[in-house]
Short mmCIF file of all heavy atoms in Angstrom, two decimals:
data_model
loop_
_atom_site.label_atom_id
_atom_site.label_comp_id
_atom_site.label_asym_id
_atom_site.label_seq_id
_atom_site.Cartn_x
_atom_site.Cartn_y
_atom_site.Cartn_z
N ARG Q 23 65.17 -59.44 17.88
CA ARG Q 23 63.82 -59.54 17.33
C ARG Q 23 62.78 -59.07 18.32
O ARG Q 23 61.84 -58.36 17.97
CB ARG Q 23 63.52 -60.96 16.88
CG ARG Q 23 64.12 -61.28 15.52
CD ARG Q 23 63.55 -62.64 14.99
NE ARG Q 23 63.83 -63.74 15.84
CZ ARG Q 23 64.90 -64.48 15.87
NH1 ARG Q 23 65.89 -64.20 15.06
NH2 ARG Q 23 65.03 -65.50 16.74
N TRP Q 28 58.90 -54.93 20.14
CA TRP Q 28 58.50 -54.01 21.19
C TRP Q 28 58.47 -52.61 20.68
O TRP Q 28 57.54 -51.84 20.83
CB TRP Q 28 59.42 -54.11 22.37
CG TRP Q 28 59.06 -53.13 23.44
CD1 TRP Q 28 58.10 -53.33 24.46
CD2 TRP Q 28 59.53 -51.82 23.59
NE1 TRP Q 28 57.99 -52.15 25.22
CE2 TRP Q 28 58.83 -51.16 24.74
CE3 TRP Q 28 60.42 -51.00 22.88
CZ2 TRP Q 28 59.09 -49.91 25.15
CZ3 TRP Q 28 60.68 -49.71 23.38
CH2 TRP Q 28 59.98 -49.22 24.43
N ALA Q 49 58.19 -55.52 13.02
CA ALA Q 49 58.84 -54.43 12.28
C ALA Q 49 58.43 -54.41 10.83
O ALA Q 49 57.87 -55.42 10.36
CB ALA Q 49 60.35 -54.60 12.40
N PRO Q 55 47.26 -42.94 5.94
CA PRO Q 55 47.78 -42.15 7.09
C PRO Q 55 47.42 -42.92 8.38
O PRO Q 55 46.32 -43.54 8.50
CB PRO Q 55 47.01 -40.89 7.01
CG PRO Q 55 45.69 -41.24 6.36
CD PRO Q 55 46.05 -42.35 5.44
N VAL Q 59 43.46 -45.26 11.23
CA VAL Q 59 43.56 -46.66 11.46
C VAL Q 59 43.16 -46.99 12.94
O VAL Q 59 43.68 -46.36 13.84
CB VAL Q 59 44.97 -47.22 11.21
CG1 VAL Q 59 45.11 -48.68 11.51
CG2 VAL Q 59 45.36 -46.93 9.72
N ASN Q 64 44.02 -57.45 21.21
CA ASN Q 64 44.68 -58.71 20.88
C ASN Q 64 44.88 -59.00 19.42
O ASN Q 64 44.64 -60.15 18.94
CB ASN Q 64 43.87 -59.93 21.55
CG ASN Q 64 43.76 -59.68 23.04
OD1 ASN Q 64 44.77 -59.40 23.70
ND2 ASN Q 64 42.58 -59.81 23.59
N ARG Q 69 55.30 -58.67 9.82
CA ARG Q 69 56.21 -57.78 9.08
C ARG Q 69 55.80 -57.73 7.57
O ARG Q 69 55.23 -58.68 7.02
CB ARG Q 69 57.63 -58.29 9.18
CG ARG Q 69 57.97 -59.59 8.56
CD ARG Q 69 59.40 -60.02 8.77
NE ARG Q 69 59.65 -61.34 8.40
CZ ARG Q 69 59.85 -61.76 7.13
NH1 ARG Q 69 59.84 -60.88 6.12
NH2 ARG Q 69 60.06 -63.05 6.87
N GLY Q 70 56.06 -56.59 7.02
CA GLY Q 70 55.79 -56.42 5.60
C GLY Q 70 54.29 -56.05 5.25
O GLY Q 70 54.00 -55.78 4.14
N ASN Q 86 38.55 -57.24 17.23
CA ASN Q 86 39.42 -57.99 18.19
C ASN Q 86 39.90 -59.25 17.64
O ASN Q 86 39.23 -59.95 16.88
CB ASN Q 86 38.59 -58.23 19.48
CG ASN Q 86 38.07 -56.93 20.03
OD1 ASN Q 86 38.76 -55.88 20.11
ND2 ASN Q 86 36.87 -56.95 20.64
N GLN Q 89 44.37 -61.59 13.13
CA GLN Q 89 45.77 -61.88 12.77
C GLN Q 89 45.96 -61.56 11.28
O GLN Q 89 45.26 -62.07 10.41
CB GLN Q 89 46.11 -63.31 13.01
CG GLN Q 89 47.55 -63.68 12.68
CD GLN Q 89 47.89 -65.11 13.06
OE1 GLN Q 89 47.29 -65.69 13.96
NE2 GLN Q 89 48.85 -65.62 12.36
N GLU Q 93 53.39 -59.59 4.73
CA GLU Q 93 53.25 -58.97 3.37
C GLU Q 93 51.88 -58.89 2.82
O GLU Q 93 51.60 -59.03 1.65
CB GLU Q 93 54.21 -59.74 2.41
CG GLU Q 93 55.65 -59.63 2.86
CD GLU Q 93 56.56 -60.40 1.99
OE1 GLU Q 93 56.29 -60.52 0.75
OE2 GLU Q 93 57.60 -60.98 2.50
N HIS Q 95 48.62 -56.69 1.85
CA HIS Q 95 48.34 -55.29 1.45
C HIS Q 95 46.89 -55.04 1.62
O HIS Q 95 45.99 -55.66 1.09
CB HIS Q 95 48.69 -55.04 -0.06
CG HIS Q 95 48.30 -53.67 -0.50
ND1 HIS Q 95 48.99 -52.52 -0.08
CD2 HIS Q 95 47.26 -53.24 -1.23
CE1 HIS Q 95 48.40 -51.43 -0.56
NE2 HIS Q 95 47.35 -51.82 -1.26
N ILE Q 110 44.02 -63.28 8.09
CA ILE Q 110 44.36 -62.98 6.71
C ILE Q 110 45.81 -63.54 6.58
O ILE Q 110 46.75 -63.13 7.21
CB ILE Q 110 44.37 -61.44 6.48
CG1 ILE Q 110 42.96 -60.91 6.76
CG2 ILE Q 110 44.80 -61.14 5.05
CD1 ILE Q 110 42.80 -59.41 6.66
N ALA Q 114 48.10 -61.80 0.95
CA ALA Q 114 46.72 -61.53 0.48
C ALA Q 114 46.64 -60.05 0.15
O ALA Q 114 47.40 -59.21 0.75
CB ALA Q 114 45.74 -61.91 1.50
N LEU Q 131 35.21 -45.07 -4.79
CA LEU Q 131 35.34 -45.62 -3.42
C LEU Q 131 34.32 -46.73 -3.26
O LEU Q 131 33.13 -46.51 -3.41
CB LEU Q 131 35.16 -44.56 -2.40
CG LEU Q 131 36.05 -43.26 -2.60
CD1 LEU Q 131 35.81 -42.24 -1.50
CD2 LEU Q 131 37.51 -43.66 -2.76
N TRP Q 141 38.48 -66.45 7.15
CA TRP Q 141 39.85 -66.83 6.88
C TRP Q 141 40.08 -66.56 5.47
O TRP Q 141 39.48 -67.12 4.51
CB TRP Q 141 40.06 -68.27 7.23
CG TRP Q 141 41.42 -68.83 6.96
CD1 TRP Q 141 42.55 -68.13 6.67
CD2 TRP Q 141 41.82 -70.22 6.94
NE1 TRP Q 141 43.58 -68.99 6.48
CE2 TRP Q 141 43.21 -70.24 6.65
CE3 TRP Q 141 41.09 -71.42 7.20
CZ2 TRP Q 141 43.83 -71.48 6.52
CZ3 TRP Q 141 41.81 -72.57 7.06
CH2 TRP Q 141 43.18 -72.60 6.78
N ALA Q 159 33.22 -67.22 6.48
CA ALA Q 159 33.58 -67.72 5.18
C ALA Q 159 35.09 -68.03 5.12
O ALA Q 159 35.87 -67.49 5.91
CB ALA Q 159 33.26 -66.71 4.09
N ILE Q 160 35.43 -68.91 4.22
CA ILE Q 160 36.85 -69.25 3.96
C ILE Q 160 37.18 -68.92 2.49
O ILE Q 160 36.46 -69.41 1.65
CB ILE Q 160 37.18 -70.69 4.25
CG1 ILE Q 160 36.95 -71.06 5.71
CG2 ILE Q 160 38.63 -71.07 3.83
CD1 ILE Q 160 37.18 -72.49 6.07
N VAL Q 167 38.58 -63.04 -5.77
CA VAL Q 167 37.19 -62.82 -5.38
C VAL Q 167 36.74 -61.55 -6.09
O VAL Q 167 37.29 -60.47 -5.94
CB VAL Q 167 37.11 -62.65 -3.81
CG1 VAL Q 167 35.66 -62.48 -3.45
CG2 VAL Q 167 37.64 -63.87 -3.11
N ALA Q 178 36.83 -70.82 -3.84
CA ALA Q 178 38.12 -70.97 -4.40
C ALA Q 178 38.07 -70.80 -5.91
O ALA Q 178 37.01 -70.85 -6.51
CB ALA Q 178 38.67 -72.41 -4.02
N HIS Q 188 31.34 -74.14 5.12
CA HIS Q 188 32.25 -74.24 6.26
C HIS Q 188 31.43 -74.50 7.52
O HIS Q 188 31.71 -75.41 8.27
CB HIS Q 188 33.11 -72.98 6.37
CG HIS Q 188 33.92 -72.90 7.64
ND1 HIS Q 188 34.85 -73.89 8.00
CD2 HIS Q 188 33.93 -71.99 8.61
CE1 HIS Q 188 35.42 -73.54 9.13
NE2 HIS Q 188 34.88 -72.42 9.56
#
Side-chain angles (χ1 to χ4, degrees):
R23 279 192 302 273
W28 179 87
V59 178
N64 303 311
R69 69 182 167 82
N86 300 323
Q89 180 174 334
E93 299 176 33
H95 175 72
I110 303 175
L131 309 181
W141 177 13
I160 296 176
V167 181
H188 172 57

